[in-house]
Amino acid sequence: MSVVETAPSGASPADAVASLAVEDLHVAFGGNRVLIGVDLNFTPGFNGLIGPNGAGKTTVFNVVSGYVRSSEGAVQLHGEDVLHMSRTQRVKAGIGRTFQAPRLILDATVMENTLLGRHHLFRWGHFAELLLLPQQRREETEARQICMDMLDRFGLADVAHEEAGALSLGSQKLVEVARALVANPTVVLLDEPAAGLGADDVTVLLRGLREIQAERNLCVIIIEHDLQLVTSLCPKISVLHFGEIISEGSPEHVTSDPAVIEAYLGHGFEAEDGGEIHEVEGPLSEHHHIDHVEEESSLEEVWTDDDAPEQEESS
């Protein structure tokens, strides 16, 4: 298991029950060990997961959501093991996620893409749809209203009936966040949600996330290279480096940890109370920049017959 310096008691949310627990997780692609005995506990609220490119952050998300099979370890959602579940089953259990590059159907409308997040909640299937049963029509009307309300929270109501491919990258990422949230998850995995967004879109994103998290008491886990965003949003941050957790705790603790500064932040940096960060000598290490590469060169995916994986591109 990981040996990690943690923040003193009280520096991060205490005594909270973990919504998502990752225990002694190991993943390897060929001879490349990507995760090595990773232990993580995520509680309701905002949780940050940071680290240099290739540290294994996205691999953690891929294991939790069923895109990658671990060689050892456990993943528990509210105390229930999920590693035996298909991706669809994990969505039904309460795990939602987004991706670094949005996975939308580009020739479908924004509304149609968002509705996909509700499909596992529908009581009436395609047969009822073909028969135009009143129950099915009511269910779809209700689902469309839920999706429209969510799109409105993220400033997308006006483009609900436009094709997703016509939107900017930033707007596409907001659509994917909306789609994940209409699925009624209890745990949401956001993989670099602010990367590529302009300042106005980031404001819309954070406002919507804060509102929904407070309303639903969600566990939100964010991978992000924008350190200012993470330290201002997340009371607890975990740091991955070469597949191992090297630090955990409050923004102040993590950003002043010598191991984190050496591995990720670079020197000429300090954090103030409340998580504000600024340069004190020179530019920060290049590791914290938004520009990045995909972490995995290949994925070993978990699926069932009704849950076939999409082909991943190597990078």
Side-chain angles (χ1 to χ4, degrees):
M1 295 187 180
S2 302
V3 177
V4 53
E5 180 184 357
T6 58
S9 176
S12 60
D15 302 323
V17 177
S19 299
L20 182 70
V22 173
E23 301 174 357
D24 195 26
L25 203 62
H26 292 257
V27 172
F29 300 123
N32 182 25
R33 300 175 70 191
V34 180
L35 297 178
I36 307 169
V38 169
D39 295 306
L40 292 164
N41 284 287
F42 299 112
T43 57
F46 289 99
N47 303 260
L49 182 59
I50 65 173
N53 294 326
K57 305 180 297 297
T58 294
T59 302
V60 172
F61 277 17
N62 285 336
V63 172
V64 170
S65 56
Y67 285 80
V68 166
R69 183 180 291 112
S70 62
S71 55
E72 296 180 44
V75 175
Q76 293 189 334
L77 178 68
H78 307 296
E80 180 182 2
D81 176 60
V82 301
L83 288 183
H84 67 284
M85 297 181 181
S86 70
R87 299 203 308 262
T88 299
Q89 289 170 335
R90 296 184 204 203
V91 171
K92 291 179 178 179
I95 296 174
R97 76 165 293 182
T98 66
F99 297 85
Q100 290 179 9
R103 296 190 176 188
L104 302 177
I105 302 173
L106 298 182
D107 58 357
T109 67
V110 169
M111 173 60 73
E112 289 166 343
N113 273 281
T114 310
L115 275 170
L116 291 174
R118 299 286 302 177
H119 275 194
H120 71 284
L121 299 171
F122 285 177
R123 296 178 56 199
W124 301 94
H126 295 302
F127 187 67
E129 184 177 4
L130 289 172
L131 294 178
L132 300 177
L133 294 181
Q135 302 96 317
Q136 188 277 333
R137 293 202 300 273
R138 283 196 297 270
E139 185 175 56
E140 182 172 348
T141 298
E142 179 183 346
R144 285 182 175 274
Q145 186 58 56
I146 290 170
C147 290
M148 184 60 80
D149 291 344
M150 186 64 69
L151 290 171
D152 187 49
R153 284 178 181 257
F154 291 97
L156 297 167
D158 290 342
V159 296
H161 302 295
E162 294 185 16
E163 288 190 355
L167 272 57
S168 66
L169 173 62
S171 293
Q172 288 181 10
K173 298 193 81 165
L174 292 175
V175 172
E176 195 172 52
V177 171
R179 183 176 65 188
L181 291 171
V182 298
N184 286 349
T186 56
V187 172
V188 185
L189 315 175
L190 302 179
D191 199 344
E192 302 192 21
L197 270 63
D200 291 342
D201 283 339
V202 171
T203 298
V204 171
L205 171 69
L206 296 184
R207 182 177 64 238
L209 288 176
R210 285 190 172 107
E211 289 175 355
I212 295 166
Q213 191 286 320
E215 291 169 8
R216 303 183 186 177
N217 195 31
L218 293 178
C219 172
V220 182
I221 307 165
I222 297 180
I223 294 173
E224 186 56 66
H225 286 279
D226 184 337
L227 288 182
Q228 190 67 64
L229 184 154
V230 175
T231 56
S232 63
L233 186 65
C234 303
K236 178 184 176 183
I237 299 172
S238 304
V239 187
L240 262 174
H241 183 51
F242 286 123
E244 298 183 86
I245 299 296
I246 61 171
S247 187
E248 285 186 310
S250 69
E252 296 85 356
H253 170 80
V254 165
T255 55
S256 61
D257 187 333
V260 178
I261 293 172
E262 181 66 28
Y264 182 48
L265 300 178
H267 297 283
F269 163 92
E270 69 179 16
E272 300 175 344
D273 291 342
E276 291 293 320
I277 61 176
H278 62 271
E279 300 174 42
V280 293
E281 295 175 3
L284 299 181
S285 165
E286 65 180 7
H287 293 306
H288 83 288
H289 291 171
I290 286 177
D291 294 335
H292 65 281
V293 296
E294 184 67 32
E295 292 185 3
E296 302 91 15
S297 60
S298 62
L299 297 179
E300 179 183 3
E301 298 186 320
V302 182
W303 68 90
T304 61
D305 289 342
D306 66 339
D307 205 350
E310 300 175 7
Q311 183 66 38
E312 292 281 342
E313 295 183 0
S314 297
S315 59

